[in-house]
Amino acid sequence: MNIKTINTTPFKDQRPGTSGLRKKVKVFQQEHYLENFVQSIFNALEGYKGQTLVVGGDGRFYNREALQIIVKMAAANGFGKVIIGRGALLSTPAASCIIRKYKTFGGIILSASHNPGGPDADFGIKYNAANGGPAAENITEAIYKLSLNINEYHILETTDIDLNTLGEQKVADMSVEVIDPVTDYADLMEQLFDFRAMKELLTSGSFKMSFDAMNAITGPYATEILEKRLGTAAGTVTRGKPLEDFGGAHPDPNLAHAKELVALMSGDDAPDFGAASDGDGDRNMILGRDFYVTPSDSLAILAANATLVPAYSKGLAGVARSMPTSQAVDRVAESLNIDCYETPTGWKFFGNLLDAGKITLCGEESFGTGSDHVREKDGLWAVLFWLNILAVRKQPVAEIVTDHWSKFGRDVYTRHDYEGVSTVGANTLMQELRKSTDELTGKSFNDYTIRHCDDFSYTDSVDNSTSSHQGLRLLFTNGARIVYRLSGTGTEGATLRVYIEQPEKDPAKLEADPQESLSDLIKLSKSIAQIEKHTGRKQADVIT
Ligand code: G16
């Protein structure tokens, strides 16, 4: 075996964010940069010698090169086996599924999710543990600390492995198994949902759907499941071939970035159901005919209808949402008499609750929904969940949502993103808000009185770990909320996210445009935090 030990010096910027380390491709391409981080991951783990690691990515630019390096480093560090998806591809939920199904030691996922791809765009890497979920904060912090002191890494000197041929090959003493990236995941979906009923709906001739894979990883998964196994018409999946630069598009399934799908769904002869997924397949957007379902509402509706789906027919153990996600699911939990947990932003915080069997479903406002079937959010799973509900209820999407509002009330919701603003300005804004929490509590602004204001802190009910500074919350006496936090996934400057929400029960106002219903709170969100002063922006760049 030709194992090389290479001397290196630390990079100071390898602290993982909301979901792993995300940087520009050019940063990752610096000599030793990726290797330092991968070695820091291995150094943070114990007991992996001879064990199996899953490695795959979303197919973006630098995916294949990075995977080759990781396999050679895994061999040099003593892993017994590496499982990779053919072509170096694995969607994030499929990687989670494979880690769990084959009971592996863990996995490395290469993705910058919904961020653009290409030589001048973004790349990312994260470690997932044996439960299939993103490493908990104590591990990501340990990786970061080790990265600050690293002085060497180990890599096997060998030719590149063949990424395209299914089956086993040897890399020195380690075996590498190339698997079909889609089959295990598609089989799992078939176990969870009522494919017979869904197929009947989808092939009835009276129901049309469109799925936008955004030139990203879910293309092959959606084609296999929707077109092959469920029999939807060829062409149901659009932009279905994963491209290294996502065709120059921003693979983020929201109203701003999935414009073609949104236009199709609001045009003449629109399909009954539209959906999209992101760069690595863990996010989803759900649309009915000329109707947008917010991710927060989607979570609440899935929870309220869960027993219609075979996998959840016995009911839910509990539910969880991230703090900035609307309180819609809380009301469903209350009516089902199950627990509802409020966690910080980041899927990793759901892992312990899922492992402990305290929750079955969870979700986030950032277009993420998932369940205990894997330990990542899962875009295509959410789409299939909706299709299963539609197959049973036989009502249009809009009617299902408005029925839900009539029963539970609506949490009118919007998110305003101020993107790429100065880091200094954004940090000052947050610090000033943090300093004024006591002063703001009890203060009134026209019809709105702040009942409570704090910097959200979370204590995990399973391991008692605490995560502080997770976002500034202004809770109003009428149930409205304004939340401020800085994005942890960007690679340039800072992005301020402002989440604005107000519960509405008046039937006459349930279907109003959120930007209008929330206009007073939106103005308040700008003035209280002095957004223009600190960021130079009068308006948000992206409103969802
Ligand atoms: C990641 C995490 C999500 C989180 C989102 C928020 O999503 O996996 O759990 O909600 O980031 O991002 P930000 O910190 O920018 O608000 P993804 O899809 O990028 O992996």
Side-chain angles (χ1 to χ4, degrees):
M1 274 216 294
N2 198 6
I3 294 176
K4 294 263 183 245
T5 295
I6 311 283
N7 292 330
T8 186
T9 50
F11 293 89
K12 301 289 174 205
D13 63 347
Q14 298 197 325
R15 175 176 250 149
T18 313
S19 184
L21 186 68
R22 291 191 189 164
K23 300 280 175 197
K24 292 282 172 214
V25 167
K26 296 241 166 10
V27 173
F28 273 102
Q29 284 173 325
Q30 295 172 86
E31 196 180 14
H32 306 319
Y33 192 90
L34 175 70
E35 291 86 344
N36 274 17
F37 190 71
V38 172
Q39 188 65 54
S40 301
I41 294 177
F42 294 158
N43 291 349
L45 305 175
E46 272 172 29
Y48 61 77
K49 300 271 178 196
Q51 302 285 320
T52 301
L53 184 74
V54 174
V55 191
D58 64 10
R60 68 179 58 227
F61 185 85
Y62 197 55
N63 190 52
R64 295 171 79 96
E65 292 86 338
L67 187 130
Q68 293 283 0
I69 292 171
I70 293 167
V71 171
K72 291 172 192 171
M73 288 186 67
N77 278 276
F79 275 94
K81 179 174 177 176
V82 165
I83 298 178
I84 63 177
R86 183 177 44 213
L89 296 178
L90 279 179
S91 76
T92 293
S96 184
C97 158
I98 287 160
I99 292 170
R100 293 170 68 77
K101 180 167 177 178
Y102 297 107
K103 300 193 171 25
T104 67
F105 187 84
I108 291 181
I109 301 178
L110 303 172
S111 168
S113 189
H114 54 288
N115 294 8
D120 297 316
D122 296 353
F123 191 74
I125 171 169
K126 69 172 176 173
Y127 178 71
N128 279 32
N131 71 348
E137 235 178 22
N138 60 341
I139 301 193
T140 56
E141 273 303 293
I143 295 170
Y144 172 57
K145 292 215 170 88
L146 288 161
S147 79
L148 293 174
N149 291 306
I150 192 165
N151 53 24
E152 61 180 33
Y153 63 84
H154 312 293
I155 188 160
L156 187 77
E157 205 171 64
T158 180
T159 51
D160 279 355
I161 53 163
D162 172 3
L163 298 174
N164 299 323
T165 311
L166 295 180
E168 294 231 6
Q169 50 192 294
K170 277 279 186 193
V171 175
D173 290 343
M174 187 180 83
S175 92
V176 175
E177 185 180 2
V178 179
I179 62 167
D180 178 84
V182 174
T183 309
D184 293 301
Y185 176 84
D187 291 350
L188 175 62
M189 293 302 114
E190 211 163 336
Q191 286 161 25
L192 300 176
F193 298 106
D194 185 350
F195 268 37
R196 196 197 47 76
M198 291 151 74
K199 192 166 185 174
E200 206 173 291
L201 172 77
L202 290 165
T203 56
S204 63
S206 59
F207 184 93
K208 273 201 301 181
M209 74 165 284
S210 185
F211 180 86
D212 183 357
M214 304 191 88
N215 303 316
I217 189 80
T218 34
Y221 293 86
T223 305
E224 169 67 23
I225 295 170
L226 296 173
E227 296 189 6
K228 295 215 181 98
R229 299 199 187 189
L230 287 168
T232 60
T236 296
V237 178
T238 62
R239 299 201 284 174
K241 190 170 179 293
L243 302 176
E244 283 198 332
D245 66 349
F246 309 114
H250 197 134
D252 197 359
N254 60 33
L255 297 177
H257 295 303
K259 282 207 180 72
E260 291 96 335
L261 179 70
V262 173
L264 176 75
M265 294 305 296
S266 53
D268 296 338
D269 200 26
D272 303 274
F273 182 66
S277 193
D278 71 330
D280 64 332
D282 57 2
R283 296 186 173 205
N284 73 89
M285 178 170 70
I286 301 294
L287 300 168
R289 191 176 283 168
D290 205 14
F291 195 91
Y292 162 63
V293 186
T294 70
S296 298
D297 277 345
S298 180
L299 173 64
I301 291 164
L302 298 190
N305 290 277
T307 52
L308 303 180
V309 170
Y312 313 106
S313 60
K314 294 200 173 71
L316 306 175
V319 290
R321 63 166 171 84
S322 67
M323 182 272 282
T325 303
S326 97
Q327 300 159 95
V329 75
D330 303 28
R331 287 174 237 299
V332 176
E334 203 181 330
S335 89
L336 294 174
N337 201 17
I338 56 174
D339 287 332
C340 177
Y341 296 84
E342 185 177 38
T343 60
T345 294
W347 206 261
K348 57 187 174 224
F349 293 103
F350 295 133
N352 278 348
L353 298 171
L354 289 163
D355 286 350
K358 291 184 172 216
I359 61 168
T360 312
L361 292 191
C362 44
E364 299 187 275
E365 52 64 43
S366 55
F367 297 84
T369 337
S371 86
D372 57 0
H373 69 290
V374 290
R375 292 294 182 273
E376 287 280 1
K377 56 186 183 278
D378 190 343
L380 211 41
W381 165 89
V383 173
L384 296 170
F385 202 136
W386 266 95
L387 283 172
N388 198 146
I389 293 173
L390 293 170
V392 177
R393 288 189 50 172
K394 300 186 169 48
Q395 287 171 282
V397 171
E399 208 172 290
I400 290 177
V401 179
T402 48
D403 277 2
H404 185 90
W405 292 340
S406 316
K407 185 167 173 198
F408 294 97
R410 177 180 182 187
D411 289 86
V412 185
Y413 188 85
T414 188
R415 183 175 109 179
H416 285 216
D417 293 337
Y418 299 80
E419 294 188 333
V421 301
S422 113
T423 309
V424 175
N427 285 334
T428 312
L429 180 151
M430 293 300 286
Q431 273 157 18
E432 292 199 355
L433 276 176
R434 211 167 276 137
K435 274 195 274 171
S436 54
T437 50
D438 287 346
E439 187 190 316
L440 283 168
T441 303
K443 214 165 172 181
S444 293
F445 304 86
N446 299 325
D447 298 342
Y448 294 94
T449 301
I450 300 179
R451 170 177 69 74
H452 178 78
C453 176
D454 68 5
D455 188 357
F456 183 61
S457 172
Y458 173 71
T459 301
D460 185 297
S461 60
V462 179
D463 66 14
N464 286 320
S465 60
T466 295
S467 304
S468 309
H469 304 304
Q470 298 295 327
L472 263 297
R473 301 191 297 177
L474 270 52
L475 312 181
F476 294 87
T477 49
N478 63 357
R481 298 193 311 169
I482 301 176
V483 172
Y484 302 88
R485 62 177 282 280
L486 300 184
S487 160
T489 59
T491 56
E492 253 176 345
T495 290
L496 170 69
R497 304 206 193 284
V498 187
Y499 312 81
I500 299 153
E501 165 187 9
Q502 179 161 328
E504 182 60 73
K505 284 221 154 108
D506 181 350
K509 295 186 184 162
L510 283 179
E511 291 181 41
D513 174 3
Q515 302 309 318
E516 281 166 29
S517 323
L518 298 172
S519 59
D520 288 345
L521 275 175
I522 293 169
K523 278 191 208 127
L524 212 51
S525 76
K526 295 181 182 178
S527 60
I528 291 180
Q530 298 188 282
I531 292 180
E532 192 180 346
K533 177 179 149 201
H534 292 299
T535 67
R537 304 281 166 84
K538 273 192 178 11
Q539 300 295 341
D541 302 276
V542 178
I543 297 179
T544 48

